[in-house]
Amino acid sequence: MCGIFGMIGANAVANTLQALKYLEYRGYDSAGIAAKQADGIRIYKSEGRIHNLEKLLKNSVENNADSSFSGTSGAGYVESEIAIGHTRWATHGAVTTANAHPFYSPDGNFAVVHNGIIENYLALKKQFTSRGAVFTSETDSETVAYLLQNNYNGNTLQAVCATAKSLVGAFAIAVTTTYDNSLYAIKNKSPLVIGVSDVGVYLCSDIRCVSHWATKVAVTPDNTVVVVGKEGVRFYDFEGKPITVRFFTTDAAEEMEQVDGDFMLKEIFEIPEKIRLTQEGYFKNGGFGVEPERVRNISRIYLIGCGTAYNSGLQIAAVARKFLDVDVLPVIASEFIYDNYPVDGNTLAFFISQSGETADTIRAAENFNSLGGYSYAVTNTKASSLCFACKKVAYIYAGGEFAVASTKAYNCQLVTLLLLTLDVGRIRGTVSNEQYASVLRALTGIPSVIEEVLSHSYEISRIAETVKDSSAVFYIGRTTDYPTACEGSLKLKEISYIHSEAYPAGELKHGTLALMEENVTVVAITDGTLSDKMASSINEVATRGAKVISVSPQTFPNALSVTLPKVNTLLYGIVSVVPLQLLAYYVAKRLGRDVDKPRNLAKSVTVE
Ligand code: M6R
């Protein structure tokens, strides 16, 4: 949902470009870089993917369009020691170069990039247009550049603080200026990590990205202005009063990998290894930190997240209801914020988020805490904003996930949440040592079971050929299979753009059956329990012309079968989702979609 990066140090443009490639998962509508030069700030921006920006940078040097520049890098484009950059996921204004960041102030003395939403931008814009200003873009972000110029009175820090005070909304903003050689940043509710190394200082939306360069990082708190200079980093509140922010050494760095094929397929094939790591993490740390005194008296557990993370909560709620004696309720984060779910000191909630930066989930956690509940982050991202919003953190061990469609993180969320809820059950005496040992034994075998499923991926690829021309695809399942249906459906729609819905199988006959006809596909998921009921649902849709694919340890007469090994029913969802992830991938490939970067989406949704 937009990524920002800024750097002071050698080869700032080349490094910013590299960072933008990493950050492209946050938005890929357009990209841009502002490079500070002796004679002013130069902005390069282009619609579409980062490689368009890279071409633009190279062409500008080759065509000598920028002969005034102080130098070119080994990579063949303009260089600078101070640069800021942006990848955009459009919120305000169409996908055009004019709406791409960075933006100049009217006098060219400031350039800004922004991640988030300035909620009062229309009022701010009006202040300037009423005085004759003509904005170059439709964005909310450009107002920041106008404010900076307007507030500048010989002191950049003062101008940045004054600007920060007039903004309402969520923002991580980086600013470069002709007035001095520092970078400035403003942070409220959108992620901003500051990094330092021997050769540079950095600011960035993503801790994994900045850790590629930085040896120490600081997570910027809300309502903070940051001044990044060669001499170091200083933090201020919006009144300009210095504040202290702790730096820590980080092991969050990830290889900035390039893959030959698609990240999504690579990430699906990593599932067995990542599940093994998640289990190892659990054993090595003696659990994920469930505190007996916290859970003995709880009366309710919420599992809260968005999209795939919500589906993992939906799945574990259905599983944990089998062995817990308290209410276990999955809730969509954006609904939790504005509804009246009961919360008191005996309420525990797991906030689930791969990125740890999803605004809806963070806001839900903040609301939940303010009502006195005990919040627990379940995330793949160390030191992400969600970790700071919750009282406890359990990390999943999925490793960097780059495809917009989440896959391996889902499986690892399921494993982590299962272990967490089993621990709650053991403390409360509803899960015996024998039950616990038996589930753990079965869980240890799950990676090999998934390896076996993956070894049949070519069969799924063949089935994809029969699904790709469907007018709609419905996914059905009952109880613990229904969340898997939801996740399979979400995967398919987001990357293939085929209309898809998930239903509890028994619910079809209450309306949705009206949509069954030729060209519709139904994917029926069952772990084998309630299979008679599923057989009836399959017959009902097949007699109305729908093509049926079953995902089950058993086969059904009217369906094309994906036959899965039999596993403990508590663990079935961890396995049965894999063929659905593969199906979505192969259908999307056959339709020629960009599977890693589907239209209209971004991996990390940092606005409400
Ligand atoms: O980073 P998060 O887990 O909080 O992200 C939540 C959703 O935005 C995410 O799972 C989204 O639904 C995926 N694109 C689904 O594949």
Side-chain angles (χ1 to χ4, degrees):
M1 191 114 317
C2 299
I4 66 168
F5 185 85
M7 176 186 175
I8 299 185
N11 300 322
V13 173
N15 287 327
T16 302
L17 194 65
Q18 193 188 348
L20 294 185
K21 286 179 186 167
Y22 185 101
L23 293 173
E24 207 177 11
Y25 74 88
R26 299 179 70 90
Y28 31 87
D29 289 332
S30 60
I33 286 181
K36 185 170 174 204
Q37 297 290 310
D39 60 346
I41 301 166
R42 290 289 193 281
I43 288 182
Y44 298 87
K45 52 189 185 180
S46 62
E47 203 181 307
R49 304 291 161 87
I50 306 289
H51 54 80
N52 293 347
L53 175 64
E54 192 164 15
K55 260 192 247 154
L56 178 75
L57 283 162
K58 283 189 171 152
N59 287 345
S60 64
V61 171
E62 276 161 22
N63 299 339
N64 273 335
D66 286 301
S67 50
S68 61
F69 273 20
S70 53
T72 54
S73 70
Y77 36 76
V78 64
E79 247 326 334
S80 164
E81 290 219 338
I82 302 179
I84 57 175
H86 187 266
T87 57
R88 179 171 187 241
W89 181 80
T91 57
H92 295 62
V95 178
T96 60
T97 303
N99 288 332
H101 300 216
F103 296 106
Y104 283 121
S105 57
D107 62 8
N109 284 321
F110 293 97
V112 299
V113 291
H114 165 223
N115 164 217
I117 287 181
I118 312 285
E119 286 166 6
N120 59 335
Y121 85 105
L122 283 175
L124 293 171
K125 249 183 160 173
K126 210 162 151 203
Q127 277 176 31
F128 293 107
T129 47
S130 64
R131 285 185 250 143
V134 181
F135 283 80
T136 62
S137 78
E138 303 157 272
T139 65
D140 52 339
S141 313
E142 195 180 0
T143 53
V144 179
Y146 276 67
L147 282 166
L148 285 164
Q149 177 178 324
N150 197 52
N151 291 327
Y152 184 75
N153 211 354
N155 181 322
T156 316
L157 177 60
Q158 258 168 26
V160 174
C161 288
T163 301
K165 280 199 283 186
S166 40
L167 301 176
V168 177
F171 36 87
I173 296 164
V175 180
T176 179
T177 176
T178 56
Y179 293 124
D180 56 58
N181 288 327
S182 295
L183 284 179
Y184 295 80
I186 310 172
K187 188 303 188 183
N188 185 41
K189 293 186 182 160
S190 292
L192 183 69
V193 182
I194 309 299
V196 292
S197 76
D198 290 346
V199 294
V201 272
Y202 316 83
L203 53 88
C204 185
S205 305
D206 178 309
I207 190 169
R208 281 197 174 102
C209 176
V210 78
S211 301
H212 179 73
W213 292 276
T215 45
K216 286 195 167 171
V217 296
V219 176
T220 313
D222 283 343
N223 300 312
T224 299
V225 162
V226 191
V227 184
V228 174
K230 263 196 173 152
E231 64 293 346
V233 184
R234 286 164 290 142
F235 298 90
Y236 301 88
D237 66 16
F238 285 178
E239 300 300 330
K241 224 171 82 213
I243 55 172
T244 306
V245 177
R246 195 173 59 85
F247 275 82
F248 54 92
T249 49
T250 171
D251 59 356
E254 290 264 336
E255 268 313 294
M256 295 209 168
E257 348 171 37
Q258 300 290 319
V259 286
D260 288 338
D262 298 307
F263 273 108
M264 184 177 173
L265 192 63
K266 173 181 172 283
E267 288 163 3
I268 293 172
F269 273 81
E270 284 173 0
I271 290 170
E273 176 208 339
K274 300 304 177 189
I275 290 180
R276 282 192 189 101
L277 285 176
T278 302
Q279 291 175 50
E280 273 167 35
Y282 173 79
F283 288 119
K284 201 171 64 202
N285 301 317
F288 289 135
V290 174
E291 296 162 313
E293 62 284 6
R294 281 282 162 203
V295 299
R296 250 182 223 119
N297 296 323
I298 52 167
S299 54
R300 200 179 298 115
I301 299 179
Y302 291 117
L303 293 137
I304 299 173
C306 307
T308 288
Y310 167 72
N311 288 341
S312 72
L314 193 66
Q315 168 79 81
I316 293 303
V319 165
R321 279 196 292 265
K322 293 183 191 287
F323 56 74
L324 285 183
D325 59 344
V326 292
D327 291 339
V328 191
L329 300 167
V331 191
I332 290 176
S334 55
E335 289 295 297
F336 187 88
I337 305 172
Y338 300 106
D339 210 320
N340 288 319
Y341 285 92
V343 177
D344 59 25
N346 290 329
T347 314
L348 172 73
F350 293 111
F351 290 89
I352 312 153
S353 173
Q354 187 284 127
S355 62
E357 296 298 348
T358 299
D360 288 329
T361 310
I362 294 166
R363 290 301 89 76
E366 288 166 354
N367 283 12
F368 176 83
N369 289 336
S370 71
L371 296 169
Y374 196 73
S375 54
Y376 213 123
V378 177
T379 181
N380 196 27
T381 313
K382 289 195 176 155
S384 56
S385 305
L386 187 65
C387 302
F388 293 90
C390 290
K391 295 184 179 143
K392 279 226 69 112
V393 184
Y395 291 112
I396 66 167
Y397 290 76
E401 191 182 67
F402 296 93
V404 164
S406 186
T407 54
K408 60 178 179 168
Y410 178 75
N411 303 70
C412 292
Q413 281 159 356
L414 293 185
V415 173
T416 306
L417 288 165
L418 176 68
L419 291 167
L420 282 164
T421 48
L422 279 173
D423 279 347
V424 173
R426 285 168 73 210
I427 293 163
R428 295 178 64 82
T430 60
V431 174
S432 68
N433 286 344
E434 294 70 39
Q435 281 170 318
Y436 172 71
S438 140
V439 179
L440 283 200
R441 259 197 315 278
L443 191 55
T444 314
I446 289 295
S448 325
V449 174
I450 294 178
E451 269 154 9
E452 166 69 16
V453 173
L454 290 171
S455 71
H456 293 281
S457 62
Y458 63 92
E459 286 162 24
I460 311 285
S461 159
R462 274 213 311 268
I463 293 175
E465 184 58 34
T466 72
V467 174
K468 76 174 205 316
D469 298 318
S470 305
S471 55
V473 181
F474 293 90
Y475 289 72
I476 58 172
R478 285 174 188 260
T479 71
T480 48
D481 294 318
Y482 169 62
T484 311
C486 294
E487 181 54 13
S489 170
L490 176 60
K491 282 300 81 93
L492 184 82
K493 74 179 86 161
E494 76 174 320
I495 61 169
S496 74
Y497 320 146
I498 296 176
H499 180 83
S500 176
E501 306 283 345
Y503 281 94
E507 186 63 10
L508 277 186
K509 56 188 180 293
H510 297 288
T512 309
L513 217 44
L515 299 177
M516 295 304 144
E517 58 185 1
E518 276 186 24
N519 245 354
V520 166
T521 298
V522 174
V523 181
I525 303 122
T526 172
D527 62 9
T529 46
L530 299 174
S531 63
D532 291 350
K533 299 275 180 231
M534 185 54 93
S536 304
S537 301
I538 289 176
N539 286 337
E540 285 159 16
V541 296
T543 46
R544 286 159 177 92
K547 177 172 31 254
V548 184
I549 297 162
S550 66
V551 176
S552 174
Q554 65 190 78
T555 57
F556 294 87
N558 287 326
L560 192 62
S561 294
V562 174
T563 315
L564 294 184
K566 244 189 161 351
V567 293
N568 182 316
T569 55
L570 299 182
L571 309 177
Y572 184 69
I574 305 171
V575 177
S576 58
V577 75
V578 175
L580 306 184
Q581 294 164 334
L582 286 169
L583 182 66
Y585 172 80
Y586 288 120
V587 168
K589 283 305 272 186
R590 282 182 155 68
L591 291 171
R593 310 295 191 222
D594 184 342
V595 284
D596 282 345
K597 296 192 172 69
R599 71 184 183 199
N600 304 340
L601 300 180
K603 181 132 188 91
S604 184
V605 186
T606 56
V607 294
E608 259 193 66

